[in-house]
Amino acid sequence: MTEATRRTPGTPCWVSLMVHGLDATQEFYATLFGWEFEPGPQQLGPYVRALLDGREVAGIGQLPPDRHLPVAWTTYLATDDAGDSAETIRCCGGTVAVGPLEAGDAGRMAICADPAGAVFGLWQAKAHLGTAKAGPAGTPVWNELLTYETGSVAKFYRSVFAYEAEPLVSAGHDYVTLRLDGRPVAALHGVGTGLPRDRGAHWMTYFEVGDVDAAARLVAELGGQVLRPPREGTAGRPVLVADPEGAVFTLVQSEDGEADPPRVL
């Protein structure tokens, strides 16, 4: 299990979800993961932090009624200076849609997209370091970019952050593990025409569960969808699901009960 520390720039450090129905979404994830909630920064509207055993694991905010944006989990990458990182992103062909903005004494954030259109966040930590618990069931354990091909997008992310890129040498797989200080922190997965047409390139959050089959059934019972049934992967059993508002994420039952990336799922 990992605990919250100040992350090396480029490390996924937080995941957040913006929805239309904040109360109903809290009920869904509370039942699925056992999360409790406390108020978070309100600069961008109603926002809560999800807690597991009293430790912060994710954020959920409410979209303004007039904003008809796709509902999706957003992966935040750590940075020491959100302004400098945002400028580098622009120079490397990405876009900055929001910020950088102050989130009270918690830190500074920005919402960006890579050249293929995949949305991600920047987080410059102050009081809030990010995910305070990762590994046990109910916590985010891995972040992976699903994109068209990894070649050009790997150059983008390596230009913004000091990643070491490790391609998977295997026929039929376009997969690159991103490492920082020798440790795997995320991955890029080129799936070509396998990308959903209605989503395009996107970051995927993996949440650990104790029993992936039972969790998939619970998602359906709670009004969500099972988009791809549980299957055997190299590091456990994943299942692709969506919550009642359509936010897509992956549940994974790791082989040892706690995730130990890298994984090809």
Side-chain angles (χ1 to χ4, degrees):
M1 182 183 73
T2 60
E3 299 287 339
T5 58
R6 190 167 295 277
R7 271 80 168 192
T8 301
T11 306
C13 61
W14 188 243
V15 292
S16 190
L17 175 65
M18 298 297 290
V19 298
H20 298 285
L22 185 57
D23 291 343
T25 299
Q26 289 181 76
E27 291 179 10
F28 173 85
Y29 287 101
T31 305
L32 180 61
F33 292 140
W35 287 352
E36 298 177 336
F37 299 91
E38 67 177 11
Q42 306 291 306
Q43 280 79 1
L44 298 179
Y47 187 85
V48 295
R49 289 179 180 154
L51 309 178
L52 188 67
D53 299 327
R55 308 300 298 275
E56 299 168 342
V57 294
I60 304 177
Q62 183 165 303
L63 289 165
D66 58 342
R67 297 295 297 275
H68 301 290
L69 300 174
V71 175
W73 280 99
T74 299
T75 297
Y76 282 76
L77 306 177
T79 177
D80 288 338
D81 190 315
D84 284 353
S85 293
E87 185 59 31
T88 302
I89 286 167
R90 292 189 185 98
C91 292
C92 292
T95 58
V96 179
V98 178
L101 299 175
E102 299 290 338
D105 62 355
R108 298 180 74 209
M109 56 80 67
I111 301 296
C112 312
D114 66 26
V119 175
F120 63 96
L122 296 174
W123 182 251
Q124 179 184 339
K126 294 180 182 177
H128 176 60
L129 297 178
T131 304
K133 190 173 187 177
T139 65
V141 292
W142 189 241
N143 293 271
E144 184 172 292
L145 173 66
L146 299 178
T147 189
Y148 301 98
E149 54 83 28
T150 63
S152 59
V153 78
K155 292 179 182 177
F156 167 81
Y157 284 100
R158 292 184 68 190
S159 296
V160 178
F161 299 106
Y163 293 123
E164 305 157 22
E166 180 185 356
L168 174 68
V169 181
S170 174
H173 280 99
D174 181 11
Y175 194 90
V176 176
T177 300
L178 300 178
R179 294 177 176 269
L180 290 169
D181 304 321
R183 184 175 64 90
V185 296
L188 314 176
H189 192 181
V191 296
T193 57
L195 274 178
R197 292 185 179 180
D198 59 340
R199 300 191 67 207
H202 60 279
W203 280 89
M204 175 69 65
T205 300
Y206 289 74
F207 292 94
E208 185 72 25
V209 292
D211 184 331
V212 74
D213 297 279
R217 290 192 296 270
L218 183 55
V219 166
E221 292 170 5
L222 295 172
Q225 290 182 282
V226 176
L227 303 177
R228 189 169 62 203
R231 59 190 175 87
E232 297 299 328
T234 59
R237 280 173 56 77
V239 57
L240 186 69
V241 299
D243 69 19
E245 286 206 22
V248 177
F249 56 102
T250 297
L251 303 173
V252 61
Q253 180 182 345
S254 299
E255 290 178 349
D256 60 358
E258 291 191 6
D260 183 21
R263 58 178 70 250
V264 181
L265 298 168

